Amino acid sequence: MGITKSEIFTKEQNQIASIAKVLGHPARIAILEHLAKVKTCICGDLVNTIGLAQPTISQHLKELKKLDLIKGNIEGNSICYCLHKEKWEEFKDILNQFLSIFSDPENNCC
Amino acid sequence: MGITKSEIFTKEQNQIASIAKVLGHPARIAILEHLAKVKTCICGDLVNTIGLAQPTISQHLKELKKLDLIKGNIEGNSICYCLHKEKWEEFKDILNQFLSIFSDPENNCC
DNA sequence: TTTGTATATTGCAATATTACGATAAAGGTA
DNA sequence: TACCTTTATCGTAATATTGCAATATACAAA
């Protein structure tokens, strides 16, 4: 049905999935990598850097904003986007914890 | 269009996105968590544990198999699924490396 | 062989996602 | 004021994803 049955999963499972989902598109990976590279805030150069139309970039930024991963400060005419560092660290911890669930060396079977 | 313009991104960006995407559904998170909990291989108990129909579970397993995250060994009548540990570690490293792109303390602006 | 059990596949309906042209909104500048 | 730049939103088309009933497949046991 295209709709996810979120209600049958735990809050934690849904949260991990939400974080992973927003990272599940190369454009958003590229946006975050660009944000990391240009240490200062970036504004409208994403459209030029990434090869997607302006409305498409705007939509991807919206997805990132929905999870609070980035914030946008109005700077005169344009908008200065940057990372929400605390959220990033929080999500990083959540993902890292999930990624270590198989760390038990006894976890071997086939 | 629902279709991702993969060709305009790097191989690495696409790979990170692919890994994140497969983790972007709570059912697949639940499957992996279950696999981690029952140290031994699991077979058909996923349908009972998770509240989804058998074809749906089968489809999610297929997604995980597509990325080589799990492997299924035929065990008599049923199938024994387990983690592909090497792949898991590989993907974990890739994600961890990406998640640390903002580690530079100078990365502050807003 | 027949029956039962376990898993995969097919086919379909509903919803979500991706992408972009057109347009709107908001601010700067002449 | 009029014009330009920047970003957001709307509307729409194409494709993807999720979920399940029905069915197929494969094997074991009676």
Side-chain angles (χ1 to χ4, degrees), chain A residues 12-24:
Chain A
E12 287 74 22
Q13 289 167 336
N14 281 310
Q15 191 184 23
I16 295 168
S18 297
I19 300 170
K21 195 174 182 180
V22 86
L23 299 179

Side-chain angles (χ1 to χ4, degrees), chain B residues 12-25:
Chain B
E12 287 73 24
Q13 289 167 338
N14 281 309
Q15 191 184 23
I16 295 169
S18 297
I19 299 170
K21 195 174 183 181
V22 85
L23 299 179
H25 194 290

Side-chain angles (χ1 to χ4, degrees), chain B residues 24 43 45 60 102:
Chain B
C43 307
D45 51 341
H60 283 303
F102 290 110

Side-chain angles (χ1 to χ4, degrees), chain B residues 1-3 5 44 54-55 58 77-78 81:
Chain B
M1 312 180 179
I3 193 167
K5 280 194 161 181
Q54 181 266 325
S58 192
N77 197 8
S78 62
Y81 277 111

